[in-house]
Amino acid sequence: LALVVSGALWLSGAHLGRSEAIYTARFRTVGGLGVGSPVVLRGVRVGRVEGIRLAPGNWVEADLKIYSGVTPPVRPAVIAASASLFGEWAATLISSEPPPVDPNIRQALAEAEAVGGGKWPGATLPDIGQLTAQASRIAGDVGDITARIGQAFDSTALQDLQRSVKDLAEISRRMV
């Protein structure tokens, strides 16, 4: 019985005897982030998502339980992103000093921070499904452009282009 209980506590990520701090992050959307998802700092698991709820003003708030002994970054921000190709998500703690390079992430963090209220700003990266769908749309557009170019350069256009190149070569030969 003791083995089963200790195994259950270990699997649930419970940290008995340690005081843990709970911080709230504000997002427009949390993607696939869910209760129990890991909170990561520089690649190391430092906590877990305790709760997610809708908040006023079309915001989503996520409660992050951070283990004792972990110092959050200066001016903390949270990025919700896919952690693997299998659908797991993680909340990654970053410092918003300096601001992220990605303009979309920078804008989302600035928007969440502008609301105030002592909550950490959060942004969400697109998941692999969204990226795949976008790549599919781009591939379709490239296919359409290729087809149009193919129609513009039919066999007569190619013959005209070859004739023009031969004429240019002849003119160059005469000038030499």
Side-chain angles (χ1 to χ4, degrees):
L1 182 61
L3 182 64
V4 170
V5 169
S6 62
L9 289 173
W10 178 74
L11 286 174
S12 71
H15 292 273
L16 300 176
R18 290 199 222 170
S19 62
E20 298 166 331
I22 295 187
Y23 300 95
T24 302
R26 179 182 293 123
F27 299 86
R28 277 294 178 199
T29 178
V30 290
L33 194 67
V35 173
S37 294
V39 176
V40 179
L41 176 63
R42 293 190 299 272
V44 177
R45 184 180 177 138
V46 295
R48 69 186 198 112
V49 176
E50 266 308 289
I52 297 176
R53 66 186 166 280
L54 294 175
N58 292 326
W59 291 99
V60 178
E61 292 179 350
D63 294 327
L64 311 176
K65 184 181 276 189
I66 307 298
Y67 304 146
S68 66
V70 175
T71 305
V74 177
R75 291 200 59 217
V78 183
I79 305 292
S82 179
S84 74
L85 294 176
F86 301 109
E88 293 91 14
W89 279 64
T92 302
L93 299 179
I94 64 166
S95 175
S96 54
E97 291 285 329
V101 176
D102 184 327
N104 296 326
I105 298 297
R106 193 170 46 236
Q107 178 184 357
L109 293 176
E111 184 179 327
E113 192 170 28
V115 176
K119 295 180 174 52
W120 291 351
T124 304
L125 294 178
D127 69 355
I128 191 71
Q130 292 170 317
L131 294 175
T132 303
Q134 186 67 22
S136 176
R137 284 192 291 273
I138 291 170
D141 292 346
V142 168
D144 289 344
I145 291 171
T146 303
R148 289 179 184 171
I149 289 173
Q151 290 172 353
F153 285 108
D154 60 359
S155 60
T156 56
L158 185 58
Q159 289 172 355
D160 290 344
L161 184 60
Q162 285 177 338
R163 197 173 315 116
S164 296
V165 170
K166 286 180 184 176
D167 290 344
L168 184 59
E170 179 61 28
I171 291 170
S172 297
R173 187 187 61 75
R174 286 184 183 174
M175 289 183 72
V176 169

